[in-house]
Amino acid sequence: MSYQWRKEMQCPWDKSFKKYKDWYPEYYKTKYEICKKINPGTIVEIGVRAGYSADAFLQACPTATYIGYDADNGQHGGKKGLFAKPYMEWAKKHLALYDYNVTINFPVDSQKVDTLALADFYHIDGDHSKEGVMHDLDTCYNSAELGAHLLIDDIDYIDDVKDGVYEWLEIHKDSITYEYIETKRGDILMKKIK
Ligand SMILES: C[S@@+](CC[C@H](N)C(=O)[O-])C[C@H]1O[C@@H](n2cnc3c(N)ncnc32)[C@H](O)[C@@H]1O
């Protein structure tokens, strides 16, 4: 089976969808391929939004357990407003159509926690500030089992993310291996070795 951008997954109140509709299938195909290669048993994601990346991961590994966290704070691609419905409601509804094992926790501000669920794959896509990314990397690293993978994107798209990731990698160079993956926005895939 290969990745499918599922039309029914499109969140009706996702206004940015129009702008990105030609772009999403390839972007999420990359997420699918990375996850397929790792083949995790448990996936933890910071930054669920409407569940598009969650869907890609679960298409790749349908028997994996997925645990997502989102602050629903209107920041970094999120939505907040008097009449705004949380994107995560949509993610829950859509993912429930399939035989997946999914838990979505919101609102949870990842900056206010130091540990998340134990997993062998973490996708960090929440707070995109330099400090936010470094905090989330600490949290995921501390929560992860040995040999776990940590994936973070927007390396070539948001300078703060790039700065945070490379500063964090310098501090943790003895306990992490990593590879840069050339994707639409630049991904770094890390492995916890200590
Ligand atoms: C770029 S979107 C995630 C997109 C999603 N991973 C996907 O590809 O389908 C970022 C998400 O992170 C959430 N977020 C922002 N700051 C956060 C924080 N401090 N803790 C947890 N989630 C946060 C936002 O609410 C938003 O839904």
Side-chain angles (χ1 to χ4, degrees), residues 28 45-49 51-53 69-73 75-78 88 108-111 123 125-128:
Y28 287 109
E45 180 170 54
I46 301 176
V48 176
R49 199 171 180 267
Y52 302 156
S53 49
Y69 302 88
D70 200 294
D72 188 30
N73 59 3
Q75 304 290 311
H76 310 287
M88 298 95 243
V108 175
D109 184 346
S110 67
Q111 302 303 302
H123 186 225
D125 198 17
D127 185 325
H128 288 59

mmCIF file of all heavy atoms in Angstrom, residues 28 45-49 51-53 69-73 75-78 88 108-111 123 125-128, ligand 1:
data_model
loop_
_atom_site.group_PDB
_atom_site.id
_atom_site.type_symbol
_atom_site.label_atom_id
_atom_site.label_comp_id
_atom_site.label_asym_id
_atom_site.label_seq_id
_atom_site.Cartn_x
_atom_site.Cartn_y
_atom_site.Cartn_z
ATOM 1 N N TYR A 28 2.953 15.083 2.821
ATOM 2 C CA TYR A 28 2.569 14.029 3.766
ATOM 3 C C TYR A 28 3.036 12.638 3.309
ATOM 4 O O TYR A 28 3.204 11.745 4.129
ATOM 5 C CB TYR A 28 1.064 14.085 4.054
ATOM 6 C CG TYR A 28 0.766 15.281 4.933
ATOM 7 C CD1 TYR A 28 0.092 16.390 4.431
ATOM 8 C CD2 TYR A 28 1.230 15.332 6.241
ATOM 9 C CE1 TYR A 28 -0.129 17.515 5.220
ATOM 10 C CE2 TYR A 28 1.022 16.447 7.033
ATOM 11 C CZ TYR A 28 0.342 17.532 6.520
ATOM 12 O OH TYR A 28 0.147 18.637 7.317
ATOM 13 N N GLU A 45 3.080 12.505 18.993
ATOM 14 C CA GLU A 45 3.199 13.715 18.175
ATOM 15 C C GLU A 45 2.855 14.949 19.006
ATOM 16 O O GLU A 45 1.822 14.998 19.674
ATOM 17 C CB GLU A 45 2.257 13.641 16.973
ATOM 18 C CG GLU A 45 2.339 14.887 16.089
ATOM 19 C CD GLU A 45 1.607 14.730 14.764
ATOM 20 O OE1 GLU A 45 0.401 14.386 14.769
ATOM 21 O OE2 GLU A 45 2.242 14.944 13.724
ATOM 22 N N ILE A 46 3.725 15.958 18.939
ATOM 23 C CA ILE A 46 3.404 17.278 19.508
ATOM 24 C C ILE A 46 2.963 18.144 18.328
ATOM 25 O O ILE A 46 3.740 18.385 17.401
ATOM 26 C CB ILE A 46 4.620 17.921 20.196
ATOM 27 C CG1 ILE A 46 5.153 17.029 21.319
ATOM 28 C CG2 ILE A 46 4.252 19.309 20.721
ATOM 29 C CD1 ILE A 46 6.424 17.570 21.995
ATOM 30 N N GLY A 47 1.720 18.602 18.349
ATOM 31 C CA GLY A 47 1.199 19.400 17.234
ATOM 32 C C GLY A 47 0.381 18.529 16.302
ATOM 33 O O GLY A 47 0.863 18.064 15.268
ATOM 34 N N VAL A 48 -0.865 18.281 16.676
ATOM 35 C CA VAL A 48 -1.741 17.364 15.919
ATOM 36 C C VAL A 48 -2.466 18.113 14.794
ATOM 37 O O VAL A 48 -2.673 17.600 13.718
ATOM 38 C CB VAL A 48 -2.802 16.750 16.866
ATOM 39 C CG1 VAL A 48 -3.788 15.868 16.101
ATOM 40 C CG2 VAL A 48 -2.145 15.971 17.987
ATOM 41 N N ARG A 49 -2.856 19.326 15.096
ATOM 42 C CA ARG A 49 -3.713 20.149 14.228
ATOM 43 C C ARG A 49 -4.901 19.311 13.744
ATOM 44 O O ARG A 49 -5.587 18.715 14.556
ATOM 45 C CB ARG A 49 -2.887 20.749 13.085
ATOM 46 C CG ARG A 49 -3.550 21.955 12.431
ATOM 47 C CD ARG A 49 -2.610 22.658 11.459
ATOM 48 N NE ARG A 49 -3.242 23.795 10.852
ATOM 49 C CZ ARG A 49 -3.882 23.743 9.687
ATOM 50 N NH1 ARG A 49 -3.929 22.620 9.007
ATOM 51 N NH2 ARG A 49 -4.450 24.823 9.203
ATOM 52 N N GLY A 51 -4.840 16.568 12.064
ATOM 53 C CA GLY A 51 -4.554 15.138 11.998
ATOM 54 C C GLY A 51 -3.995 14.665 10.664
ATOM 55 O O GLY A 51 -3.948 13.462 10.398
ATOM 56 N N TYR A 52 -3.490 15.573 9.834
ATOM 57 C CA TYR A 52 -2.993 15.154 8.516
ATOM 58 C C TYR A 52 -1.708 14.316 8.649
ATOM 59 O O TYR A 52 -1.561 13.297 7.976
ATOM 60 C CB TYR A 52 -2.726 16.360 7.619
ATOM 61 C CG TYR A 52 -3.913 17.278 7.380
ATOM 62 C CD1 TYR A 52 -3.716 18.604 7.026
ATOM 63 C CD2 TYR A 52 -5.229 16.817 7.484
ATOM 64 C CE1 TYR A 52 -4.794 19.464 6.783
ATOM 65 C CE2 TYR A 52 -6.303 17.666 7.259
ATOM 66 C CZ TYR A 52 -6.082 18.990 6.913
ATOM 67 O OH TYR A 52 -7.146 19.836 6.679
ATOM 68 N N SER A 53 -0.795 14.760 9.512
ATOM 69 C CA SER A 53 0.433 13.959 9.686
ATOM 70 C C SER A 53 0.108 12.659 10.435
ATOM 71 O O SER A 53 0.668 11.605 10.124
ATOM 72 C CB SER A 53 1.533 14.747 10.398
ATOM 73 O OG SER A 53 1.050 15.371 11.564
ATOM 74 N N TYR A 69 -0.608 15.334 21.124
ATOM 75 C CA TYR A 69 -0.799 16.419 22.090
ATOM 76 C C TYR A 69 -0.883 17.727 21.311
ATOM 77 O O TYR A 69 -0.079 17.953 20.392
ATOM 78 C CB TYR A 69 0.376 16.513 23.064
ATOM 79 C CG TYR A 69 0.642 15.259 23.859
ATOM 80 C CD1 TYR A 69 1.490 14.253 23.354
ATOM 81 C CD2 TYR A 69 0.053 15.057 25.101
ATOM 82 C CE1 TYR A 69 1.738 13.100 24.083
ATOM 83 C CE2 TYR A 69 0.298 13.900 25.836
ATOM 84 C CZ TYR A 69 1.144 12.921 25.317
ATOM 85 O OH TYR A 69 1.396 11.773 26.038
ATOM 86 N N ASP A 70 -1.805 18.563 21.673
ATOM 87 C CA ASP A 70 -1.886 19.878 21.018
ATOM 88 C C ASP A 70 -2.399 20.910 22.030
ATOM 89 O O ASP A 70 -3.321 20.630 22.812
ATOM 90 C CB ASP A 70 -2.835 19.823 19.811
ATOM 91 C CG ASP A 70 -2.579 20.965 18.835
ATOM 92 O OD1 ASP A 70 -2.807 22.139 19.210
ATOM 93 O OD2 ASP A 70 -2.126 20.688 17.703
ATOM 94 N N ALA A 71 -1.808 22.097 21.983
ATOM 95 C CA ALA A 71 -2.192 23.159 22.919
ATOM 96 C C ALA A 71 -3.498 23.827 22.496
ATOM 97 O O ALA A 71 -4.154 24.470 23.314
ATOM 98 C CB ALA A 71 -1.077 24.202 22.993
ATOM 99 N N ASP A 72 -3.848 23.712 21.214
ATOM 100 C CA ASP A 72 -5.028 24.404 20.682
ATOM 101 C C ASP A 72 -4.997 25.887 21.111
ATOM 102 O O ASP A 72 -5.989 26.422 21.602
ATOM 103 C CB ASP A 72 -6.317 23.728 21.168
ATOM 104 C CG ASP A 72 -7.553 24.308 20.475
ATOM 105 O OD1 ASP A 72 -7.427 24.746 19.319
ATOM 106 O OD2 ASP A 72 -8.627 24.342 21.110
ATOM 107 N N ASN A 73 -3.847 26.496 20.912
ATOM 108 C CA ASN A 73 -3.651 27.868 21.396
ATOM 109 C C ASN A 73 -3.609 28.906 20.274
ATOM 110 O O ASN A 73 -3.263 30.059 20.496
ATOM 111 C CB ASN A 73 -2.345 27.945 22.215
ATOM 112 C CG ASN A 73 -1.127 27.526 21.383
ATOM 113 O OD1 ASN A 73 -1.256 27.230 20.196
ATOM 114 N ND2 ASN A 73 0.032 27.489 22.003
ATOM 115 N N GLN A 75 -1.526 29.109 17.910
ATOM 116 C CA GLN A 75 -0.142 29.432 17.518
ATOM 117 C C GLN A 75 0.394 28.400 16.524
ATOM 118 O O GLN A 75 0.021 27.248 16.575
ATOM 119 C CB GLN A 75 0.779 29.398 18.746
ATOM 120 C CG GLN A 75 0.362 30.306 19.890
ATOM 121 C CD GLN A 75 0.552 31.766 19.551
ATOM 122 O OE1 GLN A 75 1.616 32.159 19.081
ATOM 123 N NE2 GLN A 75 -0.482 32.555 19.764
ATOM 124 N N HIS A 76 1.289 28.848 15.653
ATOM 125 C CA HIS A 76 2.042 27.951 14.765
ATOM 126 C C HIS A 76 1.129 27.040 13.940
ATOM 127 O O HIS A 76 1.312 25.819 13.896
ATOM 128 C CB HIS A 76 3.039 27.110 15.581
ATOM 129 C CG HIS A 76 3.874 27.933 16.513
ATOM 130 N ND1 HIS A 76 4.888 28.749 16.082
ATOM 131 C CD2 HIS A 76 3.799 28.111 17.855
ATOM 132 C CE1 HIS A 76 5.426 29.378 17.115
ATOM 133 N NE2 HIS A 76 4.775 29.011 18.205
ATOM 134 N N GLY A 77 0.156 27.639 13.302
ATOM 135 C CA GLY A 77 -0.730 26.860 12.432
ATOM 136 C C GLY A 77 -2.000 26.421 13.122
ATOM 137 O O GLY A 77 -2.876 25.807 12.512
ATOM 138 N N GLY A 78 -2.133 26.723 14.394
ATOM 139 C CA GLY A 78 -3.347 26.367 15.130
ATOM 140 C C GLY A 78 -4.420 27.425 14.923
ATOM 141 O O GLY A 78 -4.242 28.381 14.189
ATOM 142 N N MET A 88 -8.432 19.717 16.380
ATOM 143 C CA MET A 88 -8.239 18.358 16.906
ATOM 144 C C MET A 88 -9.544 17.563 16.972
ATOM 145 O O MET A 88 -9.532 16.338 16.948
ATOM 146 C CB MET A 88 -7.612 18.377 18.317
ATOM 147 C CG MET A 88 -6.248 18.995 18.376
ATOM 148 S SD MET A 88 -6.365 20.738 18.846
ATOM 149 C CE MET A 88 -5.698 21.510 17.372
ATOM 150 N N VAL A 108 -3.110 20.614 25.636
ATOM 151 C CA VAL A 108 -1.901 20.334 26.409
ATOM 152 C C VAL A 108 -0.783 21.196 25.823
ATOM 153 O O VAL A 108 -0.450 21.047 24.641
ATOM 154 C CB VAL A 108 -1.482 18.839 26.328
ATOM 155 C CG1 VAL A 108 -0.158 18.623 27.049
ATOM 156 C CG2 VAL A 108 -2.553 17.925 26.895
ATOM 157 N N ASP A 109 -0.262 22.090 26.620
ATOM 158 C CA ASP A 109 0.848 22.940 26.178
ATOM 159 C C ASP A 109 2.148 22.195 26.442
ATOM 160 O O ASP A 109 2.521 21.983 27.593
ATOM 161 C CB ASP A 109 0.800 24.266 26.960
ATOM 162 C CG ASP A 109 1.872 25.245 26.497
ATOM 163 O OD1 ASP A 109 2.804 24.822 25.786
ATOM 164 O OD2 ASP A 109 1.776 26.426 26.865
ATOM 165 N N SER A 110 2.819 21.797 25.372
ATOM 166 C CA SER A 110 4.036 20.985 25.537
ATOM 167 C C SER A 110 5.123 21.747 26.293
ATOM 168 O O SER A 110 6.015 21.136 26.880
ATOM 169 C CB SER A 110 4.568 20.541 24.170
ATOM 170 O OG SER A 110 5.036 21.656 23.447
ATOM 171 N N GLN A 111 5.032 23.066 26.278
ATOM 172 C CA GLN A 111 6.064 23.869 26.962
ATOM 173 C C GLN A 111 5.911 23.786 28.478
ATOM 174 O O GLN A 111 6.787 24.220 29.217
ATOM 175 C CB GLN A 111 5.979 25.332 26.506
ATOM 176 C CG GLN A 111 6.150 25.510 25.011
ATOM 177 C CD GLN A 111 7.463 24.932 24.503
ATOM 178 O OE1 GLN A 111 8.532 25.323 24.957
ATOM 179 N NE2 GLN A 111 7.393 23.977 23.584
ATOM 180 N N HIS A 123 7.163 12.833 16.741
ATOM 181 C CA HIS A 123 7.119 13.879 15.714
ATOM 182 C C HIS A 123 6.909 15.206 16.425
ATOM 183 O O HIS A 123 5.908 15.400 17.131
ATOM 184 C CB HIS A 123 5.957 13.624 14.739
ATOM 185 C CG HIS A 123 5.943 14.574 13.584
ATOM 186 N ND1 HIS A 123 4.792 15.203 13.143
ATOM 187 C CD2 HIS A 123 6.941 15.022 12.775
ATOM 188 C CE1 HIS A 123 5.082 15.968 12.108
ATOM 189 N NE2 HIS A 123 6.373 15.880 11.866
ATOM 190 N N ASP A 125 6.186 18.977 16.158
ATOM 191 C CA ASP A 125 5.609 19.922 15.185
ATOM 192 C C ASP A 125 4.629 20.867 15.903
ATOM 193 O O ASP A 125 3.544 21.126 15.416
ATOM 194 C CB ASP A 125 4.883 19.122 14.086
ATOM 195 C CG ASP A 125 4.635 19.956 12.836
ATOM 196 O OD1 ASP A 125 5.267 21.010 12.675
ATOM 197 O OD2 ASP A 125 3.795 19.527 12.009
ATOM 198 N N GLY A 126 5.055 21.347 17.074
ATOM 199 C CA GLY A 126 4.177 22.220 17.867
ATOM 200 C C GLY A 126 4.671 23.645 17.867
ATOM 201 O O GLY A 126 4.471 24.379 16.900
ATOM 202 N N ASP A 127 5.312 24.040 18.945
ATOM 203 C CA ASP A 127 5.869 25.391 19.091
ATOM 204 C C ASP A 127 7.112 25.499 18.198
ATOM 205 O O ASP A 127 8.072 24.752 18.370
ATOM 206 C CB ASP A 127 6.230 25.595 20.574
ATOM 207 C CG ASP A 127 6.707 27.012 20.858
ATOM 208 O OD1 ASP A 127 7.364 27.616 19.990
ATOM 209 O OD2 ASP A 127 6.435 27.504 21.964
ATOM 210 N N HIS A 128 7.107 26.459 17.259
ATOM 211 C CA HIS A 128 8.205 26.571 16.298
ATOM 212 C C HIS A 128 9.214 27.660 16.669
ATOM 213 O O HIS A 128 10.010 28.078 15.822
ATOM 214 C CB HIS A 128 7.652 26.812 14.888
ATOM 215 C CG HIS A 128 6.997 25.607 14.279
ATOM 216 N ND1 HIS A 128 5.922 24.967 14.865
ATOM 217 C CD2 HIS A 128 7.270 24.901 13.147
ATOM 218 C CE1 HIS A 128 5.565 23.933 14.113
ATOM 219 N NE2 HIS A 128 6.358 23.870 13.065
HETATM 220 C C1 LIG B 1 2.086 23.060 12.189
HETATM 221 S S1 LIG B 1 0.701 22.597 13.143
HETATM 222 C C2 LIG B 1 0.832 20.830 13.217
HETATM 223 C C3 LIG B 1 0.509 20.169 11.918
HETATM 224 C C4 LIG B 1 0.338 18.679 11.993
HETATM 225 N N1 LIG B 1 1.485 18.022 12.612
HETATM 226 C C5 LIG B 1 0.167 18.134 10.586
HETATM 227 O O1 LIG B 1 1.178 18.096 9.838
HETATM 228 O O2 LIG B 1 -0.938 17.769 10.211
HETATM 229 C C6 LIG B 1 1.202 23.070 14.747
HETATM 230 C C7 LIG B 1 0.237 22.671 15.844
HETATM 231 O O3 LIG B 1 0.937 22.820 17.078
HETATM 232 C C8 LIG B 1 0.059 23.309 18.034
HETATM 233 N N2 LIG B 1 0.879 23.972 19.060
HETATM 234 C C9 LIG B 1 1.421 25.209 19.034
HETATM 235 N N3 LIG B 1 2.086 25.457 20.172
HETATM 236 C C10 LIG B 1 1.981 24.337 20.943
HETATM 237 C C11 LIG B 1 2.435 23.966 22.241
HETATM 238 N N4 LIG B 1 3.164 24.800 22.988
HETATM 239 N N5 LIG B 1 2.116 22.730 22.721
HETATM 240 C C12 LIG B 1 1.386 21.859 21.964
HETATM 241 N N6 LIG B 1 0.913 22.161 20.736
HETATM 242 C C13 LIG B 1 1.210 23.376 20.220
HETATM 243 C C14 LIG B 1 -0.901 24.221 17.293
HETATM 244 O O4 LIG B 1 -2.127 24.318 17.981
HETATM 245 C C15 LIG B 1 -1.017 23.519 15.943
HETATM 246 O O5 LIG B 1 -2.159 22.704 15.900
#
